[in-house]
Amino acid sequence: MTDAAVSGAPADTAPKATGLGALRDLRRTRQLHRLGNLDWFDAAYRVYLFGGFGGGAILWISSSVKDAPLDDNVAADVLSRGPAVLGLVVALAFMAGIRGGAQGGPIALEAADVAHVMLAPVDRLRALLRPAYQRLRSALFAGAMAGAIVGQLAGRRLPGDLFPWFCAGALYGANAAGLWVAAALLAHTLRLPRWLATLVGLAGVGWQAAAVAWSVPGPFNLDGSLALWGWRVHTVDLLAVGCTVLLLVAGLALLRRISLDALARRSALVAQLRFAVTMQDLRTVILLRRQLNQEVPRQRPHVRLRRHAGPLGLTASIWRRGWHGLLRFPLPRFVRMASLAAAMGVLQAMVVRGTTPAFLGTAILGFVLGLEAMEPLSQEVDQADRADALPVERGEIMARHLLAPAVLLVPFGFIAAFAAWFTLGARSDALAPALILGVPTLIGAACGGVVSIVKDMPDPTSGATQQAFMPPEMVGFSTAIRIVWPIVVSALTTCTVLLVRSADRLGGSTVSAAIRGSIGIMLVALLVYQWVRVRDRMRRKIRAFMDEGRSYQSQQRSSA
Amino acid sequence: MTAALKTVQLTKDYGDRPALEPLDLEVGEGQHVALVGHNGSGKTTLLRMAAGLLDASDGDVWIMGHKSGTIEARRSLSWLSDTPTFYDDLSLWEHLEYVGRLHGVAQWHTKAEELLERLQLSNRRDDIPTTFSRGLRQKAAIALGMVRPFDVLLVDEPFVGLDSNGKTTLLELLDESAAVGATLLVATHELAFVGRVGRLLALRDGAIVYDGPPADADVHSLVLPS
């Protein structure tokens, strides 16, 4: 292509390819423009940050797994039940895919592509192959990376060398990701109704759960078995990969049937989602994911609150407002929160059993659960002008918004406790510590979500100059802190399970260890509550102090 | 004679809220139709379903005898949205080039030059349309909708944001398209435009409440919600 064509100069009037040829040229031109506009320094800096923090975190987690290899009995148990358990994860990926497809996933096009390319008389199958491949490629990469990391972690406690475990994990993750994309493509192109997609997904998960519980053959056992190739190789497991490839080919072949309605609806949301990911705005990412899944609050609450006659005080008003929002959560959201709580319980039990880094997984899940539960606070932050218009300190309002969600989390705490207890083999001595720690751990871990939400709050006292004068090195550092800090708060509370493990190993009282841990968690939660209350006041004071210092300095200079 | 646009029991509902009642409609080739109705009456829903951008809850749409969304229907139909979308990394001229070429027009530049001239966008051809004002974006969208050949033109609220020159040019372009036999279906709140068309369709709460010559209709009462 000539330069004139790239710059759009009207002098280039020679006839060019039309139809699909024009589409190829369009994409090439846009690629050239994007490359031309890319800030290479910024991109390199992001890679450096990602590599530094991401790589560092993985190395730290890996090095922290120093526990002794599993004894023969447990290892035999892993070998016999591992494929079914790991297959359950693949079943969940399949369910997520098929439900996502019924809701319009997995492909997302730009709004302009929908308007100009999809409405043009070109073969939609060929026009959509590239975005579909891109989606598949990114999913396979993410799946393989996650699988490889977990694989090499598993290899430290299980027989076999690390490299085969790394490769087996990557194969398992890529296969699961491929199945997710394939299920989504098929559900979308076959226009599966949402209820049917959920039913099929639940059937797969239910069957696989039965395989875990009663050792019957599960539909995803072969997929799960791939992850154990670092230990032993079963070539028959390749049938699972073959199945995934076949489903993928079928999904891609049906691309012509894709719904423009879904593409148009998703295009704007996906653009916002990408922007939010670029800005490391996890709360917005979760919010937009909900919108992508067409998850909207219920028109009518699950339970209607009784009308209240007469005026309400500040606490009672906010308490009531909180429940009005929480009771409008759609059922899938409650199910998701319950799943997160159960997964937290399972991970905490894994910590007790010896997999120390699992408490970080609990922290991340608790953080996400916090973002889910703290919806009234999120709404208040997103509509900050309303709170600012009230004759009450903003922090007082925000802090009171924490009460209703905290109460909502109590039953989920019990779900986490029972999940942990079951994972520990339903031992009678494990029930009391699980119940003591369950609710505080969940509420404490959700505090990470609170920190993330409140840090997003616009600061009316801050000036633009403050940001402008921040050195570039500090911007990267502060961005990393912004992402990591809420997770650290969550991790501070979830790591208390180590007290119980330590007591268990040393023959001490696990109940008193759990009580000590709960008190620690509640202290952290109170600190977060207090931080939300006084944050604005503190910032104002610090700023006034700085301003005073500056004016004093300028007075000194002028008098000198 | 094949209908340029035909709907058979076309229905749309959003959950429990019906947006369009079962609709049977035929627009003959070369007809010039205005579609009016209050906000939320179903005009945009109807047009978007005809363009293939919105899935119908039930029923079908046919464009020049081909089912909406098929390659033949897309070749015949040009859609001018009320919310124009553009690539944020292509100039207006590049947009015109690629839209023209995607629709099989090898000599797109002659028509593109003419459209830009008439819409007074010639000096903005190398600018990115996402940076344009509302009115300029609308003009750019008109140019994109007309740079390619079509048998049926669906237009949603074309006058919003246009200055008087822009409105005049758009009316001229619509008249010229009608003169060469194109079928036009224009959804609008500009009741003055209704006098220029041969047929008026009025929607109220998703159902057609008037279908006939505009001269016989009390347009102002037709656009009132129930």
Side-chain angles (χ1 to χ4, degrees), chain A residues 1 5-10 13 15-19 22-23 25-26 29-30 33-34 110-124 191 259-261 264, chain B residues 12 48 51-55 69 71 74-75 77 79 85-91 93-95 97-109 113 125-126 144 148:
Chain A
M1 180 175 288
V6 172
S7 68
T13 54
K16 291 177 186 167
T18 56
L23 180 59
D25 286 350
L26 165 71
T29 305
R30 297 195 64 212
H33 286 198
R34 276 199 295 272
E110 283 179 63
D113 262 340
V114 176
H116 302 306
V117 177
M118 290 294 108
L119 290 185
V122 292
D123 182 3
R124 278 189 187 157
R191 308 284 174 101
S259 155
L260 276 202
D261 188 355
Chain B
K12 182 69 187 177
R48 288 179 67 84
L53 281 166
L54 194 61
D55 294 335
I71 206 159
R74 280 180 269 151
R75 187 171 288 120
L77 185 135
W79 158 243
T85 46
F86 306 96
Y87 295 102
D88 56 10
D89 53 2
L90 290 185
S91 69
W93 186 253
E94 285 166 328
H95 272 85
E97 172 185 348
Y98 289 114
V99 169
R101 287 171 59 197
L102 280 168
H103 286 269
V105 188
Q107 296 297 327
W108 53 273
H109 39 81
E113 292 266 22
R125 73 166 107 208
D126 291 328
L144 288 178
R148 40 145 309 181

Side-chain angles (χ1 to χ4, degrees), chain A residues 75-87 208 211-215 221 228:
Chain A
D77 195 33
V78 169
L79 201 56
S80 65
R81 297 185 64 193
V85 173
L86 292 162
Q208 192 60 35
V212 174
W214 298 294
S215 300
N221 277 10
L228 300 177

